[in-house]
Amino acid sequence: MEPPHRPRSRRSRTRPRSRTSPADGEANASRRRFLGATATATAAATGLAGCVDLPNTLGGLVDGSEDVSLFQNDLRRLGYYPDEVVPDAVHVDWTFPINYVGHTAAKSSPLPTPDGETILFAGDTGRVHAYTPAGELRWTTQTGATELGFHGSPAIVGDTAYIGGYDGDLYALDTDSGDTVWRTRSAELDGALAIGSSPAYHDGTLYVISEFAPPSSGALWAIDPNTGDPTWSDDRIWGQAHPSPTIDLDAGRILAGSNDGAVYCWEFPELEFSWQYQADADGEEAADGAFRKGAQIKGTVAAHDGYGYVGSWDNNFYCLDLADGEEEWVFETGASVMSNPAVDVEEDIVYMGSDDNYVYALDAKSGEELWSTDVNGRVIGALTVTAETVLAGSYDSHLYALDKETGDRRWRVENRGRVTSAPVPVDGRIYYAERGVISNYYDDDEETTLEEPGHAYCLVADD
């Protein structure tokens, strides 16, 4: 079946891009003073923007260490598990309720500890759960993020997990006991409204993005993982930033997208601002005209071979040169793109999902479409690519396993709610989470009702 709007690839060198200048730095400093002066009011704000993991099989790409576990499996956020083999048939081994809130952000993705002996699940009520692969509960910790909980995933370094909440606080938890090691309050982060991103860790420093309102904006932070103290920040980001920071050590870049339709990039590890790419945004003005809506970037950039791959609400999926932010190619889909892509670095293929209900395989160099598969619902969570399979959650309440060469469906598993977390393969098991089943969420005339909590799942091979 053909997609409703056949996507096309195109190369462009003419789309305008924003660059930094001394004037930009002055405006940035001015906004930082404004945010600091309104920290108390910001922390008390109740309006949140809409939306907006993994064993370190690529340890050398992370930190030169195998004691780090990160969302999308590494610093480059590739979602790539070359050593994991997805079974030909699966069933649910164990499950438990975890998500109860109707917030439309993608749900937090499970994350194994570096030794694989514990799986952490963070829920949207502020609880973090630790399970063994066999489904035995080790501990549960209730944090202060009680209203909308967690939507980002932890970064686990050794025996400590770091995770940001929608209360604007950053938490460090002991993975053996669940005890809180430290908690950096929103007020210490300039009155952050929320942290929807998953932290990155490299060489003794955490990197995380926070959100503010008003005005609708964000900041990239460097954090001391031993104390939780901020050591550096840059709040030039406009729009509440949900994506996680991506670090490409070879390219020397750290970058992230935001709701203003821009990708921001800093030199790494120097943290000097390098470039900004602006997607075409034609919606209403926001933040007193600081940006326009219409091209929100909700997904995390995947970095591969000197390029960054990311989708936008303008219905396009972009390939950007990490050296200067130059647009290499654009792939147009039939609806907005907000999921995190996955990249097979050996085959140079990038996999992405769209709100047009399709999962796509694209040539990473040219943007040429290799195949597309209808998964009967929007794809907003992170994709995963393994030795032979692409895993993708769908709004049709199924988790799909697709042959990565052809896009043919290998199997799908029916769940309760919409599957919006990343599927995480670990030693033959697959972990993921779904939204709660919520009725009347968009109906102002009817009471919003939780019909059934969203669950976390562990799949295993059929005997």
Side-chain angles (χ1 to χ4, degrees), residues 89 95 155 177 213 284 287 298 309 317 328 340 424:
T95 182
S177 65
E284 63 183 9
K298 304 284 190 178
Y309 301 89
F317 185 76
E328 181 68 12
N340 301 326
V424 182

Side-chain angles (χ1 to χ4, degrees), residues 57-391:
T57 57
L58 303 180
L61 296 177
V62 175
D63 195 38
S65 164
E66 294 187 355
D67 288 333
V68 179
S69 187
L70 298 175
F71 171 66
Q72 287 298 86
N73 203 34
D74 77 333
L75 286 171
R76 292 191 284 160
R77 312 299 192 181
L78 295 170
Y80 180 48
Y81 299 81
D83 297 327
E84 293 291 341
V85 176
V86 172
D88 291 331
V90 296
H91 65 271
V92 176
D93 187 38
W94 50 267
T95 182
F96 70 95
I98 188 172
N99 291 319
Y100 297 78
V101 179
H103 189 215
T104 56
K107 296 305 179 183
S108 176
S109 300
L111 194 78
T113 54
D115 61 11
E117 295 181 1
T118 303
I119 314 297
L120 298 190
F121 299 85
D124 61 16
T125 61
R127 293 185 179 91
V128 180
H129 311 269
Y131 277 81
T132 68
E136 178 185 354
L137 176 63
R138 295 191 58 199
W139 51 260
T140 294
T141 294
Q142 175 67 64
T143 70
T146 55
E147 184 176 356
L148 293 175
F150 299 104
H151 292 274
S153 298
I156 303 178
V157 183
D159 58 3
T160 306
Y162 305 93
I163 188 169
Y166 262 67
D167 56 350
D169 293 359
L170 183 64
Y171 296 84
L173 304 177
D174 185 287
T175 58
D176 291 328
S177 65
D179 293 341
T180 300
V181 179
W182 51 254
R183 176 183 180 182
T184 298
R185 301 277 181 163
S186 166
E188 300 175 67
L189 301 172
D190 285 355
L193 178 65
I195 298 175
S197 75
S198 304
Y201 171 86
H202 175 69
D203 196 23
T205 301
L206 289 170
Y207 300 90
V208 70
I209 294 174
S210 64
E211 308 168 32
F212 302 96
S216 179
S217 55
L220 173 65
W221 297 86
I223 305 289
D224 184 329
N226 295 312
T227 64
D229 294 334
T231 59
W232 174 92
S233 67
D234 187 334
D235 66 359
R236 73 180 61 239
I237 299 171
W238 284 109
Q240 289 170 299
H242 306 308
S244 304
T246 299
I247 300 175
D248 189 318
L249 299 178
D250 291 335
R253 294 289 186 264
I254 180 170
L255 62 157
S258 188
N259 273 350
D260 61 351
V263 175
Y264 296 83
C265 182
W266 294 258
E267 294 180 12
F268 190 84
E270 296 84 359
L271 299 179
E272 295 180 4
F273 192 69
S274 180
W275 52 260
Q276 175 183 331
Y277 175 85
Q278 179 67 58
D280 290 338
D282 56 5
E284 63 183 9
E285 289 188 350
D288 295 327
F291 66 94
R292 287 185 177 275
K293 298 180 180 179
Q296 291 93 318
I297 294 176
K298 304 284 190 178
T300 295
V301 178
H304 165 57
D305 198 24
Y307 294 92
Y309 301 89
V310 70
S312 167
W313 274 21
D314 67 0
N315 299 0
N316 292 319
F317 185 76
Y318 293 91
C319 172
L320 305 177
D321 191 320
L322 295 182
D324 56 10
E326 191 87 7
E327 181 183 289
E328 181 68 12
W329 53 257
V330 179
F331 182 85
E332 183 179 350
T333 77
S336 58
V337 181
M338 59 188 298
S339 69
N340 301 326
V343 181
D344 185 324
V345 302
E346 298 298 328
E347 301 295 333
D348 280 334
I349 298 175
V350 57
Y351 302 91
M352 48 80 65
S354 171
D355 282 8
D356 67 4
N357 300 354
Y358 280 79
V359 173
Y360 298 90
L362 308 177
D363 183 280
K365 300 299 184 185
S366 67
E368 177 187 359
E369 179 184 327
L370 304 177
W371 56 255
S372 60
T373 298
D374 188 347
V375 292
N376 304 305
R378 296 168 60 190
V379 181
I380 76 164
L383 271 62
T384 296
V385 59
T386 69
E388 300 174 344
T389 307
V390 177
L391 297 171

